[in-house]
Amino acid sequence: MHHRRHARLSWLLVSAGLLSACAVGPDYHRPEVAAPESYRATADQTSMAADAPSVKPSDAWWESFNDPVLDKLIEVALANNRDLQSAIANVIRARGQLETTRAQFFPQLGASAATARAQGSSIGTAVIAPTPGTIGTVSTLQAPATWQIDLFGGTRRQVEAASAIEAAAIAKRQAVALAVAGQMAESYIMLRALDQQLVVTHQTLESYRKTLHVFELRYKHGTANMVQLSQVQSQVDQAEATIPPLMKAIAEQENTINFLAGRNPGSVPRGKSINQLALPRPPAGLPSELLARRPDVMGAEQQLIAANAQIGVAKAQYYPSISLTGALGSSSTNLINLFSGPGKIWSIGAGATMPIFTAGAIAGQVTSAEAGQQMALAEYRKSVEAAFRDVDNALVASAEYRKLVAAREQQVKTLATYAKLSNMQFNYGYADYLTVLNAEESQFTAELQLVSAQRLEAGAIVGLYMALGGGWEAADKATVQANESITQGPANLAAPLK
């Protein structure tokens, strides 16, 4: 009898396992995307210096700027940035949710113990009770078990969705790591450009002050008039007026860098000047490679996978839900006999539930899940199209800003010659000082514009690497290693500022 009962139970479990291999809802297939065969623009390799380093997209490209200060700032940012620490904790949370969901595949075993003092009754019967009319103690110890059979794959779809959500959280962490590295590089480049503009302004101001001193002597000895002296003074005033906005911008940029690094406002160390930074050669790559390289695109696809699985979760509610229950334990009115043979109790059973009429509740959930899948699909295609746009824009910017720098360099040389010759003509009486004034002001403006062009070129290369999804492996690895303590418990999330 017992053998036949166990045989039927075994067949029930095997059948349930086979049926659970079928999951309701659509299986995921990566949607087709219209990828361009090539980018409209390509990196202008011939315009780069012959010794410019070539960096693979998977490398820590910021190290190719050859500035240890920049490398250190990015290292600190990857270790302390608060957005990154939040992204790491989000991965841990998603992993916990996945573990909770996956646990539904397995039987749930518990334990219970109870003792009660009661008076027995002669009316009715009880499995174990004190003698009728007397007061006694009943002690029970048992281990109940339940197992929800995933007959139609609803649980499997839940696990599929939770797995995709965890993968999306990881991709988000990788994307944030790349963004932090890129933002720090761009902020540092901007800081060094502002520093260089301040240097140019101080040099120009010093030159103007020397000229003003000369004209003051000339005016004193009658060889220069008040108009000329006022013209020179206006040069000095203009240069001095350029300094306060630059100082303000420098302080704000330092605060931005410290904020990215998870630090309080303060000064920032300097390394190489803007015109000393080595500019890495932009990497080559086909549009099709972008789908497996950009973490934001990978994250959008994982969100689509999760939304697709949610359709199956909703549809599984239409079908029966079958569960097995059981319990094994002991009950006795005497603690001494609690573990003896006569006190043993056990039970085993099965139950099934199925919706008959829900007034459209399940249909509404299915409709909502299908709409969520369409939203995720649109977001995925949008992320792919944005990636192609970003790369093409960055390639154009990298090539055109390189040309802009060359043009500004030539302009500065031309205006320096113009200023020198106009000074000579003024000294020999062939030109008035207004000509000199215009030449020197034009040179000053061109020198500031050259620095801006150098910043744009370096920033375009940073933008190109970020658009290509390069460097996220190195950035993410450094992030995880530096924030290992966060995974050890919530208490470590409140670490003091460094």
Side-chain angles (χ1 to χ4, degrees):
M1 181 69 179
H2 289 291
H3 176 72
R4 288 197 300 271
R5 185 185 298 114
H6 290 310
R8 285 196 299 271
L9 180 59
S10 299
W11 276 109
L12 177 61
L13 297 179
V14 171
S15 301
L18 292 174
L19 287 172
S20 66
C22 302
V24 297
D27 292 330
Y28 175 76
H29 299 284
R30 175 177 288 180
E32 296 290 334
V33 293
E37 295 182 1
S38 61
Y39 298 110
R40 291 187 308 158
T42 56
D44 188 3
Q45 301 284 357
T46 58
S47 66
M48 304 297 292
D51 58 347
S54 179
V55 184
K56 297 178 181 179
S58 59
D59 294 338
W61 45 262
W62 50 88
E63 296 177 355
S64 296
F65 284 96
N66 199 22
D67 190 334
V69 173
L70 173 59
D71 297 342
K72 183 62 177 178
L73 287 173
I74 292 179
E75 177 186 342
V76 173
L78 295 176
N80 298 329
N81 183 267
R82 306 310 169 195
D83 289 335
L84 270 175
Q85 292 176 349
S86 176
I88 294 172
N90 187 47
V91 171
I92 299 170
R93 180 177 63 176
R95 190 165 298 150
Q97 293 172 342
L98 173 59
E99 292 174 357
T100 300
T101 305
R102 189 181 288 147
Q104 299 178 73
F105 278 134
F106 306 97
Q108 305 297 304
L109 180 64
S112 65
T115 183
R117 190 165 178 80
Q119 177 176 321
S121 173
S122 60
I123 301 175
T125 58
V127 177
I128 298 177
T131 304
T134 64
I135 298 176
T137 300
V138 178
S139 299
T140 304
L141 177 66
Q142 62 178 336
T146 60
W147 184 21
Q148 189 78 24
I149 299 176
D150 189 27
L151 190 61
F152 297 99
T155 300
R156 199 175 81 176
R157 291 301 190 193
Q158 289 180 12
V159 172
E160 181 182 349
S163 298
I165 290 174
E166 183 203 18
I170 293 174
K172 176 66 174 179
R173 184 193 68 204
Q174 295 165 345
V176 173
L178 174 60
V180 168
Q183 289 169 10
M184 180 61 80
E186 290 177 339
S187 298
Y188 182 76
I189 289 170
M190 171 65 81
L191 178 64
R192 299 308 284 135
L194 292 170
D195 288 338
Q196 185 62 29
Q197 287 183 331
L198 186 61
V199 169
V200 170
T201 301
H202 279 300
Q203 291 175 344
T204 303
L205 177 59
E206 183 63 24
S207 176
Y208 287 172
R209 282 173 174 168
K210 290 180 179 179
T211 302
L212 177 61
H213 179 67
V214 171
F215 270 82
E216 286 175 340
L217 293 176
R218 287 184 177 184
Y219 178 74
K220 182 178 180 180
H221 293 88
T223 58
N225 56 45
M226 180 59 71
V227 173
Q228 293 172 332
L229 183 62
S230 298
Q231 289 174 336
V232 179
Q233 181 65 55
S234 70
Q235 281 186 312
V236 175
D237 296 340
Q238 178 62 33
E240 288 180 337
T242 306
I243 294 176
L246 285 175
M247 295 297 294
K248 173 180 175 291
I250 288 172
E252 291 175 345
Q253 202 62 29
E254 286 180 322
N255 291 339
T256 297
I257 289 175
N258 282 315
F259 181 75
L260 285 170
R263 301 187 301 199
N264 289 324
S267 61
V268 172
R270 267 57 163 188
K272 294 188 175 181
S273 64
I274 185 69
N275 49 18
Q276 292 175 333
L277 291 175
L279 300 185
R281 242 177 291 176
L286 298 174
S288 58
E289 299 173 357
L290 208 58
L291 304 184
R293 185 187 294 165
R294 290 222 344 184
D296 61 330
V297 174
M298 294 186 289
E301 183 177 14
Q302 292 300 324
Q303 292 289 355
L304 175 58
I305 294 172
N308 189 78
Q310 288 296 340
I311 298 176
V313 174
K315 287 186 175 181
Q317 298 178 80
Y318 282 123
Y319 300 93
S321 175
I322 299 176
S323 60
L324 300 179
T325 60
L328 180 65
S330 181
S331 182
S332 174
T333 57
N334 192 331
L335 285 175
I336 298 176
N337 299 324
L338 185 61
F339 298 100
S340 63
K344 290 182 179 179
I345 59 174
W346 64 269
S347 67
I348 185 170
T353 61
M354 181 176 179
I356 301 298
F357 176 72
T358 62
I362 298 177
Q365 293 181 51
V366 172
T367 301
S368 178
E370 290 174 342
Q373 189 260 6
Q374 290 299 312
M375 292 173 59
L377 175 60
E379 288 298 321
Y380 170 70
R381 286 175 172 162
K382 177 183 175 181
S383 68
V384 172
E385 292 163 358
F388 294 144
R389 176 205 62 193
D390 293 346
V391 173
D392 202 74
N393 288 345
L395 284 168
V396 171
S398 178
E400 297 305 320
Y401 284 144
R402 175 65 258 179
K403 298 175 185 177
L404 177 62
V405 169
R408 292 300 187 194
E409 289 174 340
Q410 182 59 47
Q411 183 184 28
V412 169
K413 292 179 182 178
T414 301
L415 289 173
T417 301
Y418 174 36
K420 180 179 180 181
L421 293 177
S422 61
N423 262 294
M424 291 176 60
Q425 287 183 330
F426 173 76
N427 291 330
Y428 286 104
Y430 295 110
D432 59 15
Y433 193 73
L434 183 60
T435 302
V436 179
L437 179 68
N438 290 335
E440 290 180 341
E441 287 182 348
S442 297
Q443 181 184 357
F444 176 39
T445 301
E447 288 174 345
L448 296 178
Q449 290 174 338
L450 172 59
V451 176
S452 295
Q454 291 171 333
R455 174 187 63 81
L456 291 172
E457 182 189 12
I461 293 178
V462 172
L464 179 56
Y465 274 100
M466 293 180 65
L468 288 170
W472 68 259
E473 297 99 328
D476 188 58
K477 181 179 179 181
T479 296
V480 173
Q481 289 177 345
N483 290 278
E484 208 170 309
S485 61
I486 294 181
T487 63
Q488 298 174 7
N492 291 300
L493 291 176
L497 295 175
K498 296 183 179 180

